Amino acid sequence: MIHLTDKIILTGIKTSGRHGCSEEERSREQTFIVDVELYLDLTQAAKSDDLGDTIDYAAVIDDVKKIVGGTSRNLIETVAQEISDFLFKRYMLLDGVKIVLHKHAPNVKDKFAGAAIELVRSRGHESLAGIWKQR
C-alpha cells in the first residue's frame, strides 16, 4: 500500500437514503453520516494557495450526498464502495480514501443506535471487486 500522509478530512456529512436488506429498512428514508479522508499530496496546494492544486471538498460533499441519496442498495458496504469508485474516477489527484459510513438508528425490529463500516482503498485497488465479478 502507498504510504499516505497528507489528507483532507471531512466529518459528519449528514444525508439520507434508503439502504438495507429488509423492506422495513427501505420503506422510508434513513439518516446516514459519512466521514471521508482524502489522501493526496498537498505540497503544491500549500505553495500555490490555489484550489486547482487540491480537491474541492465542497464538491466531494455533493458527490457523497448524491450517491447515498441515489439508488437503494442492500449493503452499506456497497454504498461506501460506490463512493470510493466515484471519487477515484473524478479526482485524479486522489491517491487513497477512507470512508466511514454510519447508518443512524436503522429501521429494524431490534432498535439500536446505529451501524457503521469503514472502507480504505488506494488507487489501483478501487475497482478490483468489479474485475473479479466480470469474469
Side-chain angles (χ1 to χ4, degrees):
M1 181 174 204
I2 302 169
H3 179 58
L4 308 170
T5 54
D6 296 346
K7 60 185 165 182
I8 296 170
I9 304 168
L10 308 174
T11 58
I13 302 168
K14 188 175 182 178
T15 190
S16 59
R18 295 176 182 261
H19 307 290
C21 291
S22 70
E23 185 60 38
E24 185 177 10
E25 285 183 286
R26 295 172 124 178
S27 66
R28 63 180 168 86
E29 288 197 338
Q30 300 176 73
T31 300
F32 293 86
I33 309 291
V34 186
D35 302 324
V36 179
E37 292 184 11
L38 306 169
Y39 295 89
L40 67 154
D41 186 346
L42 296 172
T43 305
Q44 186 57 39
K47 290 177 184 176
S48 70
D49 195 30
D50 185 339
L51 184 59
D53 290 328
T54 188
I55 295 174
D56 181 354
Y57 60 78
V60 172
I61 291 168
D62 287 341
D63 297 335
V64 168
K65 286 183 169 187
K66 286 177 187 170
I67 293 166
V68 174
T71 304
S72 291
R73 301 294 183 203
N74 290 330
L75 303 176
I76 57 176
E77 292 88 333
T78 303
V79 178
Q81 185 65 53
E82 288 176 350
I83 293 169
S84 172
D85 290 345
F86 184 86
L87 296 178
F88 279 113
K89 287 176 187 158
R90 181 163 186 197
Y91 304 102
M92 295 313 296
L93 292 174
L94 188 62
D95 293 323
V97 66
K98 177 172 129 179
I99 298 164
V100 181
L101 179 56
H102 306 263
K103 187 177 197 178
H104 179 71
N107 187 22
V108 294
K109 182 178 123 185
D110 295 317
K111 300 300 177 194
F112 63 105
I117 61 102
E118 180 178 290
L119 181 138
V120 179
R121 299 288 184 263
S122 59
R123 187 168 294 284
H125 180 260
E126 73 275 9
S127 61
L128 290 178
I131 291 169
W132 291 111
K133 276 193 157 184
Q134 292 173 0
R135 291 184 179 182

